[in-house]
Amino acid sequence: MKILEVNGLHVTRGDKKILENVSFKLKKGEVLGIIGPNGGGKSTLIKAIAGLLPFDAGIIWIGKGEKLGYVPQFATFDDSFPITVREVILSGSPYLSRKKRMEMGEIERAEELIRRYQLSDVSNHPIGALSGGQTQRVLISRALMGNPTILMMDEPTASIDFKTKDQLVQELREKEPEMTIMLVSHDLNVVNQTVDSILCVNRIADYHPGNRLEADNLKKVYGCPIEVILHGEIPHRVLHAHQHGKETEE
């Protein structure tokens, strides 16, 4: 069932076209990986959908009853601000007063998320004292306070080691199985292993069902040949079908 549709989206800044005629649809429960080069418009796309940036033309349709959640880039989050983990998570509540939060069960909701995302031991720590992986769990929990049905994450695995990257995204899928996710990432390894579909964005956008990263598609969006290295217990190189050969792995 379609729950979100973008049709003919155009975004400009000054004289520069950031996004041009971007169109795609999302189904309930789908995990969409958004890839592309720096400056290609990936972050602009999800910010426009979230209502954080204006757009010049096009339609953004969100199904009735669907709610958006947004996890910003780690680099744009000020971890020097004197606030605890619990307070950061509670700041995602739509209710400002403590009395209203108590009446609506928001404090219990925050405590549930703290337990669910393994943050109990650091819940009273300042946000700046956390590791990259812990900080991302806090930001995800904060976004989940609004009970979103569509979660948009901008580079959630940046500055995290390979093992934690895989754990973080897989954990989110397991714990929020009904949620539709839009995942902006430069990490093709994470995208290749965790998403259901891919949107290649470099001013224009191409939607690809499935998580298979074809060499020709990557070359088109990045403007140069891209080789995918999968990191696991044994890192290996994946070479998809070439003109005169079959798909191989090393």
Side-chain angles (χ1 to χ4, degrees):
M1 179 179 68
K2 178 182 72 174
I3 64 171
L4 183 146
E5 180 175 1
V6 175
N7 192 0
L9 187 69
H10 291 257
V11 178
T12 59
R13 292 290 177 269
D15 296 329
K16 184 178 180 181
K17 293 181 179 180
I18 308 298
L19 295 172
E20 185 174 3
N21 199 29
V22 172
S23 300
F24 67 95
K25 301 175 184 179
L26 277 182
K27 301 187 295 292
K28 184 176 180 61
E30 181 176 355
V31 179
L32 175 71
I34 303 175
I35 66 170
N38 287 332
K42 304 183 301 299
S43 295
T44 296
L45 174 61
I46 64 169
K47 286 179 180 178
I49 295 172
L52 300 175
L53 286 177
F55 55 94
D56 303 289
I59 297 172
I60 297 174
W61 176 87
I62 299 171
K64 184 178 180 180
E66 306 296 341
K67 295 197 294 184
L68 300 178
Y70 173 69
V71 180
Q73 289 187 33
F74 179 80
T76 63
F77 181 77
D78 185 3
D79 62 3
S80 67
F81 191 78
I83 188 172
T84 67
V85 166
R86 180 176 281 103
E87 289 168 336
V88 171
I89 294 173
L90 276 168
S91 71
S93 168
Y95 306 103
L96 297 179
S97 74
R98 178 178 175 83
K99 180 179 178 181
K100 191 66 175 178
R101 287 174 176 174
M102 292 180 68
E103 290 175 351
M104 301 304 294
E106 294 291 276
I107 294 177
E108 289 81 359
R109 168 71 171 161
E111 294 301 324
E112 176 199 349
L113 289 167
I114 286 170
R115 290 190 297 271
R116 187 186 303 179
Y117 288 95
Q118 295 89 48
L119 295 167
S120 297
D121 291 345
V122 296
S123 60
N124 293 316
H125 291 197
I127 188 68
L130 272 56
S131 67
Q134 289 172 325
T135 301
Q136 288 297 358
R137 284 188 169 86
V138 173
L139 296 180
I140 289 170
S141 297
R142 178 183 184 275
L144 293 177
M145 280 296 296
N147 294 301
T149 57
I150 302 171
L151 185 64
M152 297 178 290
M153 300 193 292
D154 196 353
E155 292 288 354
T157 58
S159 304
I160 302 177
D161 63 80
F162 292 121
K163 183 179 180 181
T164 305
K165 288 180 181 183
D166 290 340
Q167 287 178 343
L168 185 64
V169 181
Q170 292 291 353
E171 184 179 277
L172 184 60
R173 293 203 69 173
E174 291 169 5
K175 295 181 177 181
E176 315 292 340
E178 300 298 317
M179 186 172 291
T180 301
I181 298 173
M182 299 174 65
L183 171 67
V184 173
S185 182
H186 281 98
D187 194 326
L188 301 184
N189 176 58
V190 171
V191 170
N192 195 70
Q193 297 187 63
T194 59
V195 306
D196 302 313
S197 54
I198 296 173
L199 189 71
C200 297
V201 179
N202 189 0
R203 187 171 57 82
I204 60 174
D206 289 316
Y207 176 86
H208 304 279
N211 64 352
R212 183 185 175 102
L213 294 167
E214 298 287 354
D216 288 346
N217 293 331
L218 290 173
K219 182 177 180 180
K220 179 181 177 181
V221 72
Y222 286 97
C224 61
I226 298 291
E227 190 176 62
V228 181
I229 305 294
L230 297 184
H231 298 274
E233 292 185 5
I234 303 176
H236 58 287
R237 181 177 291 109
V238 176
L239 304 175
H240 293 303
H242 286 66
Q243 186 175 359
H244 300 295
K246 297 181 179 179
E247 180 176 318
T248 63
E249 285 194 6
E250 294 181 3

